[in-house]
Amino acid sequence: MGRMGRRPPVEAEVDEEMEFHVEMRVRELVARGWDPEEARAEAIRRFGDLERVKDDCRTQGRRRDGRMRRQRWFDELRQDLGFAVRQLRRAPGFSAVVVVTLALAIGATSSVFSVADAVVLRPLPFPESDRLVAIWTRYLPASGFDIEKFALSGPEVLDLADTSEALEDLTVMGGGSRTLTGGGADPERLGVGFVSASFGAVLGVEPVVGRWFGPDEDVPGATPVVVLAHDLWQSRFGGDPDLVGRTVELDGGAVEVVGVMPPGFDYPSGRQAWLPMGLDRSNEGGRASHGYSVLGRLRDGVSLDAFDAELERLNAGWGAEYEHNAHHFLWAQSLKDEEVADAPRTLALLAAAVGLVLLVACANVANLLLARSERRMGEVGVRTALGADRGRIVRQLVTESLVLAGLAAVLGLALGGVGTRALLAIHPEALPRLDGVGVDGRVLGFTALLAAVTALLFGVGPALWTGRRALGSVAGGTRGSTAGRGRSFLRRGLVSAEVAFSLTVVLFAALTARSLVGLVGTDPGFTTRDAATVRVSLPTGTYSEGAQLPGAFDDLRRRLATVGGVRSVGAANGLPFAGVASRWDFVLDDRPPREEGTPAWNARVTIVTPGYLETLGIPLLRGRSFTDADGPDDAMVGMVSRSMADRTWPDADPLGKRWGYERTDSTGATVVEWITVVGVFADQFANRIGEEVVPEVYLPHAQVGISGYGWSRAMSFVVASDRPANAILPEVRAAVAAFDPDLPLYSVGTLQGLLDTSLQQPRLTANLLGSFGLLALLLAAVGLYGVVAYAVAGRTREFGVRRALGAPRGEVTRLVLAEGSGPLLVGVAVGLAVAAFGVRLVEGLLYGVEPLDPLTFLGVSALLVGVGLLASVIPALRATAVAPTEALRE
Amino acid sequence: MARSGKGLLHGTLDTLILRTVSEAPRHGYAIARWLEERTDEAIRVEEGSLYPALYRLEKQGLLRSEWGRSELDRRAKFYHLTENGRQRLAAETRAWSEFSEAVSRVLRPG
């Protein structure tokens, strides 16, 4: 910019400047009478070390240049920003539309990211959590079941602990609950974990007060000890540091508190206390009794693959040694994979959908910018004439896009934050780890990056376009030129892309919505919905004898039956969808003993009271259900599910058949109490609607202690009433308190609530995809409308002529619709292809509808075409409404 | 006779340069000559200190340079003060007169 043109590079600059100085000095000295050669030597001498001086200058010069470049860059940025803000304020309508469009898309995207980050991306909150593995048993089909993932048996856990080289340590993890009493406070039901002495070491978490329990305390018959959660220690014991060493009362028995865990630690999910599991080393017969979840920590540097290989070797050895292990294999997965379950699949689908919405929004905004660039050709032309080069113009336009995207990001974060909180409040159990969702630094960073990428996506194309045109035309219109046609082609292409992407999102939404409708409409196996549920556990202290329990539960059942309006009351040790289910191997009295290598018979067992079937409305298919006459001294009876009956006695009448459970009596002999089938009930889903149905049996609670499995101490009561379930809950509480004021109530709710909880994830997915689909559809419609309206504006004259020459209104309408239908149909065709490829994302997330369901594809295509035509009709009507004379005068 | 820039008080050379170009843009040789003439050669600025100082001052944003025509119609690099340079010069001048006055008061006989 200097008077003499561009600055030379710093090397030449220094040389030339020093040479000039030397020449000037020589001239001076010669004038004073020096010999020219001596004068030159003197001039150079005065520099001292000339090369060093030059080096100094060059170093300083290079720094100077860098500084000036940065300075210029910032100056220009400030200019551009100021100019951008002025431009956007001059077109408030345009700016608002763009910012809102982008804010919706960016907000939705950053919300999905915030959920994905909390649920899937972030590591588990334990030191070196990538070394933690969950270990499972796989039931091979030869075992009679084909189960991928089941708990281990005690002997399997101990064998693994003894022999594994890959594991640093392992711990069992069982869940349960205990009632904490005493201290003058109300009894409190605690979620407790039954774990090993190694639990703290495996997770890498130490108690903050006291200690963890030792191996000598983790054996059957040891003095009972407990480690408390920080919250419980604070709320119940006021954070008393002297609590350690004292005893508390759990289920009526004294237990010594040995430690308190750090604040926030409640693993696995919601535990308030941890007790030793006390695995029994002498219980070799329990190899088939699977009941222990296992968590291991790999040695440093050992990979999951290496552990898998080791497990394969160990499995082979155990399979040769024990018949049971011929069909039951141990396997491992990373703990994180176990914790996040199938959440990554749901989130991948949501991320894909929201990404498409973002692309639709970008295409839409790009189109708006292209339309606006027409109006700005004059201004851009003037700036070009004033010396701004093309790069500068493009940079200015991109800066405007960045300002728009930045504003949208701020608004989007606010909208997304509010929306996410609202959605998660409705669906708190839809995905694991949702309590960690929030707007934090990572979400802010992602959103900022997203805004930048978005600005480039929608801004660079139109900016380059405008920049190129600015070179060709200094002010003045070029309507109808090649550039104009090219832009119209670009605009149609963008609209086609919008249609294609929205079709895909709408299709995802439609498929998940149909799947949800299918899930909601599927019979879970019981018909009652509006019934109150409450879980009651009778502590060993007060109810020490197992045989006392059925009488106590019957007493409570009769009390609950007196609550006003109650039709029936029943109870079971676990309700459907409440995650309690155990499966036992059984034998049949009309079959020979199972041969080695043949599958064991096995069914899920639920212990129920009389009235359970009737209260839940579980259809009785054959025979009878339990009555009060099925007492401990009467003949042992049981009910079987339809699939149990079909599998076990495929060709015979199941009524009157007998099954039983083997156990070892005090003399060491194997005994079986035979149970006679008295009824057949309809199949039930245990955990989730749509899952595979498992054979199931019901045993009367009054007899179950005799059949070999001990009495059930905890029962969930279901109370069906003529009044709404929520209305009778206070009276249900009162009835339990009247029965025994020391009993805490937990899992209080309704049957409908249990069903709803199991449907939260599909509901959340369908709701989100529905919103995304609607947004995409709306944006595509607006985009299509814009293109058609623009084309119509350019052809007003032509339409006028046509009408003046006698063309009927219908013909003009057809011409206008043709403008929109081209990009629309191309978009639908491309969209169907994209969707057919994209549906692999929904596979496995659908129930009752195929990913490539033709009806859904057809319906969604029709919807897109319909909405698209509607968007084109408005400009068409406007075009025909113009009087021919008026159009010609224009 | 103070022979060199090194003999000057620390930072004084910078101030002298700023003062030299404050009247009109000057090239490096002109700055050296102006200082020599102005001080009757009492201060002779060594080229080895002058030029690095010029580049440093430009890097600091106190000077700007442009290539132009010298009085003999040769290409030469002219330095002029920036706004920052002007403010710095004013501040340094004030500080210097306060300092020299204080020193003079001490040295004044009686």
Side-chain angles (χ1 to χ4, degrees):
Chain A
M1 294 283 281
R3 282 192 300 257
M4 298 298 293
R6 291 180 78 86
R7 197 182 262 284
V10 72
E11 282 74 18
E13 176 189 354
V14 171
D15 284 342
E16 190 177 350
E17 191 173 11
M18 301 305 146
E19 181 53 34
F20 173 77
H21 182 99
V22 169
E23 277 178 30
M24 292 301 285
R25 186 67 87 188
V26 168
R27 202 182 286 269
E28 172 202 335
L29 293 177
V30 168
R32 290 199 204 164
W34 285 57
D35 169 74
E37 258 180 45
E38 277 172 29
R40 187 166 177 86
E42 168 67 10
I44 290 173
R45 195 193 54 76
R46 288 196 189 182
F47 268 96
D49 185 345
L50 179 60
E51 280 315 307
R52 220 205 61 216
V53 173
K54 282 186 176 178
D55 264 0
D56 274 7
C57 291
R58 285 181 189 130
T59 307
Q60 298 283 354
R62 270 190 290 273
R63 289 192 197 144
R64 171 201 68 194
D65 289 353
R67 204 185 125 115
M68 282 170 65
R69 260 196 308 277
R70 282 193 297 279
Q71 186 67 44
R72 194 164 54 235
W73 194 85
F74 276 110
D75 285 349
E76 285 177 4
L77 180 66
R78 219 178 36 234
Q79 280 171 24
D80 286 352
L81 281 177
F83 188 73
V85 169
R86 280 198 303 281
Q87 282 296 322
L88 298 178
R89 284 173 67 173
R90 217 186 283 167
F94 163 84
S95 307
V97 168
V98 169
V99 168
V100 169
T101 302
L102 290 174
L104 290 172
I106 290 178
T109 310
S110 82
S111 294
V112 169
F113 173 81
S114 72
V115 173
D117 187 45
V119 174
V120 179
L121 301 181
R122 244 178 280 181
L124 298 174
F126 305 117
E128 297 181 56
S129 61
D130 53 332
R131 284 164 59 196
L132 295 174
V133 290
I135 302 161
W136 304 102
T137 298
R138 176 179 293 131
Y139 282 54
L140 298 187
S143 70
F145 287 98
D146 186 4
I147 308 174
E148 181 69 8
K149 197 167 171 177
F150 208 78
L152 274 63
S153 67
E156 287 172 345
V157 174
L158 294 169
D159 280 353
L160 182 64
D162 291 345
T163 50
S164 172
E165 304 269 323
L167 286 179
E168 190 171 280
D169 218 334
L170 64 77
T171 176
V172 295
M173 281 195 312
S177 43
R178 288 286 184 269
T179 302
L180 177 65
T181 47
D186 286 337
E188 195 171 343
R189 191 71 185 168
L190 306 180
V192 302
F194 295 100
V195 298
S196 309
S198 51
F199 181 71
V202 169
L203 289 176
V205 181
E206 296 278 312
V208 284
V209 179
R211 58 178 179 87
W212 192 256
F213 50 80
D216 51 327
E217 289 161 317
D218 185 22
V219 291
T223 315
V225 292
V226 63
V227 176
L228 301 182
H230 199 269
D231 269 2
L232 179 67
W233 180 53
Q234 290 292 334
S235 63
R236 181 105 186 174
F237 303 102
D240 177 7
D242 296 330
L243 182 68
V244 168
R246 295 217 300 264
T247 60
V248 296
E249 226 172 69
L250 281 184
D251 273 13
V255 182
E256 184 190 340
V257 177
V258 294
V260 176
M261 291 308 271
F265 182 85
D266 66 350
Y267 194 81
S269 128
R271 302 294 133 181
Q272 292 158 289
W274 293 267
L275 299 162
M277 179 70 89
L279 264 189
D280 192 350
R281 288 211 162 253
S282 62
N283 180 28
E284 192 47 51
R287 186 160 285 273
S289 172
H290 286 243
Y292 302 103
S293 301
V294 178
L295 182 62
R297 180 175 280 274
L298 296 174
R299 276 183 208 286
D300 204 1
V302 173
S303 68
L304 185 60
D305 283 346
F307 182 44
D308 271 342
E310 182 189 69
L311 278 177
E312 208 157 303
R313 278 198 310 280
L314 295 177
N315 279 323
W318 294 327
E321 195 173 342
Y322 309 104
E323 190 224 327
H324 174 79
N325 287 107
H327 320 298
H328 296 80
F329 269 46
L330 301 196
W331 64 282
Q333 66 181 144
S334 86
L335 181 62
K336 184 156 161 215
D337 287 350
E338 152 64 13
E339 293 272 315
V340 302
D342 64 351
R345 278 219 305 239
T346 302
L347 288 166
L349 173 63
L350 292 176
V354 87
L356 289 174
V357 172
L358 190 67
L359 287 178
V360 172
C362 285
N364 218 342
V365 172
N367 247 340
L368 287 171
L369 285 175
L370 279 174
R372 192 167 131 83
S373 76
E374 175 71 14
R375 250 167 289 150
R376 291 184 62 180
M377 280 330 292
E379 163 220 327
V380 170
V382 168
R383 296 184 60 209
T384 312
L386 289 178
D389 61 12
R390 184 179 161 211
R392 197 76 187 74
I393 301 261
V394 170
R395 205 177 122 184
Q396 163 63 40
L397 293 172
V398 171
T399 306
E400 279 185 40
S401 298
L402 281 168
V403 169
L404 285 168
L407 288 172
V410 172
L411 183 60
L413 264 178
L415 290 176
V418 171
T420 309
R421 256 202 305 284
L423 268 176
L424 296 189
I426 308 172
H427 308 94
E429 316 249 337
L431 293 167
R433 307 217 283 166
L434 280 183
D435 46 354
V437 175
V439 176
D440 56 10
R442 287 164 66 103
V443 174
L444 288 178
F446 173 83
T447 309
L449 195 69
L450 189 66
V453 170
T454 308
L456 296 181
L457 269 180
F458 73 74
V460 165
L464 288 176
W465 192 271
T466 313
R468 193 155 73 215
R469 282 209 53 199
L471 283 187
S473 77
V474 176
T478 48
R479 180 165 289 178
S481 71
T482 320
R485 269 208 302 283
R487 184 177 45 232
S488 137
F489 183 75
L490 184 58
R491 299 195 64 192
R492 286 152 179 266
L494 284 171
V495 166
S496 292
E498 284 185 52
V499 171
F501 294 150
S502 9
L503 183 136
T504 309
V505 180
V506 173
L507 188 85
F508 286 164
L511 285 172
T512 47
R514 284 195 62 183
S515 164
L516 179 64
V517 169
L519 284 171
V520 171
T522 297
D523 178 10
F526 54 90
T527 55
T528 308
R529 293 288 176 275
D530 194 33
T533 65
V534 57
R535 195 159 169 85
V536 172
S537 177
L538 305 179
T540 46
T542 326
Y543 306 86
S544 52
E545 294 292 314
Q548 274 180 278
L549 296 167
F553 283 126
D554 283 338
D555 184 15
L556 178 55
R557 186 158 54 91
R558 277 186 286 273
R559 281 170 186 274
L560 287 170
T562 64
V563 169
V566 165
R567 274 182 280 116
S568 72
V569 180
N573 66 333
L575 294 181
F577 306 105
V580 185
S582 54
R583 299 167 69 145
W584 303 342
D585 289 352
F586 61 86
V587 292
L588 296 165
D589 77 332
D590 61 352
R591 280 338 125 83
R594 190 164 57 95
E595 278 174 42
E596 203 143 302
T598 60
W601 299 97
N602 182 303
R604 197 165 76 225
V605 179
T606 306
I607 298 161
V608 305
T609 66
Y612 177 72
L613 249 75
E614 294 75 9
T615 309
L616 269 80
I618 296 170
L620 179 67
L621 305 177
R622 300 281 313 277
R624 67 171 179 90
S625 63
F626 302 142
T627 69
D628 287 328
D630 298 314
D633 304 324
D634 300 301
M636 302 265 295
V637 294
M639 301 179 68
V640 298
S641 71
R642 180 196 209 120
S643 56
M644 165 81 176
D646 289 350
R647 245 174 95 121
T648 319
W649 304 281
D651 306 315
D653 183 353
L655 296 184
K657 297 286 183 192
R658 303 205 300 169
W659 87 91
Y661 302 100
E662 286 182 327
R663 66 192 160 101
T664 311
D665 71 3
S666 50
T667 65
T670 301
V671 295
V672 179
E673 306 280 348
W674 294 107
I675 301 162
T676 305
V677 178
V678 295
V680 180
F681 57 90
D683 283 326
Q684 311 283 308
F685 292 116
N687 293 307
R688 235 179 33 226
I689 289 178
E691 73 184 356
E692 199 192 342
V693 167
V694 167
E696 188 175 13
V697 301
Y698 288 167
L699 299 177
H701 79 129
Q703 294 184 339
V704 70
I706 296 161
S707 60
Y709 278 94
W711 307 95
S712 181
R713 228 162 235 294
M715 295 288 268
S716 292
F717 281 82
V718 183
V719 186
S721 159
D722 295 332
R723 293 190 287 148
N726 284 318
I728 63 164
L729 277 175
E731 287 164 66
V732 168
R733 285 171 187 276
V736 175
F739 166 73
D740 182 344
D742 282 341
L743 290 185
L745 290 179
Y746 57 110
S747 301
V748 180
T750 68
L751 276 185
Q752 183 66 51
L754 287 176
L755 263 177
D756 287 346
T757 303
S758 78
L759 288 174
Q760 277 190 11
Q761 176 164 346
R763 274 220 170 89
L764 178 68
T765 312
N767 282 348
L768 279 176
L769 286 176
S771 326
F772 296 166
L774 200 64
L775 181 57
L777 197 59
L778 192 72
L779 290 175
V782 170
L784 201 58
Y785 167 83
V787 164
V788 176
Y790 183 81
V792 168
R795 290 174 70 181
T796 310
R797 216 180 135 78
E798 175 204 332
F799 292 148
V801 173
R802 283 176 188 272
R803 292 268 284 125
L805 292 178
R809 257 165 203 257
E811 193 187 316
V812 172
T813 311
R814 252 199 317 283
L815 283 170
V816 176
L817 286 182
E819 288 279 352
S821 55
L824 175 63
L825 293 179
V826 169
V828 168
V830 173
L832 285 174
V834 172
F837 177 76
V839 285
R840 63 185 55 190
L841 283 167
V842 267
E843 263 169 30
L845 295 172
L846 297 182
Y847 173 73
V849 54
E850 289 299 312
L852 287 171
D853 179 56
L855 201 64
T856 311
F857 268 70
L858 204 66
V860 169
S861 310
L863 178 69
L864 263 286
V865 170
V867 170
L869 287 180
L870 204 65
S872 316
V873 157
I874 301 166
L877 290 180
R878 207 179 288 158
T880 52
V882 176
T885 46
E886 214 173 295
L888 289 173
R889 212 178 295 132
E890 245 185 34
Chain B
M1 182 161 107
R3 263 280 298 142
S4 88
K6 282 196 187 90
L8 295 172
L9 280 173
H10 180 73
T12 313
L13 175 62
D14 288 2
T15 312
L16 292 178
I17 291 173
L18 294 179
R19 170 70 186 88
T20 308
V21 298
S22 70
E23 295 179 345
R26 288 194 160 91
H27 50 69
Y29 174 74
I31 294 169
R33 282 300 300 153
W34 192 84
L35 282 172
E36 286 158 11
E37 283 163 15
R38 192 65 188 245
T39 61
D40 292 333
E41 310 228 347
I43 293 178
R44 210 136 107 222
V45 178
E46 221 174 51
E47 282 81 344
S49 304
L50 173 67
Y51 280 95
L54 285 171
Y55 275 82
R56 195 178 58 246
L57 289 170
E58 191 176 8
K59 184 197 75 184
Q60 290 168 355
L62 301 175
L63 293 182
R64 277 285 162 266
S65 65
E66 272 172 21
W67 286 87
R69 290 282 158 200
S70 78
E71 50 280 18
L72 296 169
D73 205 30
R74 284 261 290 127
R75 246 172 76 88
K77 195 172 141 201
F78 289 84
Y79 293 87
H80 61 89
L81 271 186
T82 64
E83 187 45 42
N84 281 347
R86 201 166 296 284
Q87 284 168 17
R88 171 71 65 87
L89 175 60
E92 293 290 334
T93 308
R94 217 168 27 248
W96 178 257
S97 20
E98 282 167 16
F99 173 72
S100 68
E101 213 165 285
V103 172
S104 310
R105 268 202 302 277
V106 172
L107 297 182
R108 199 173 296 142

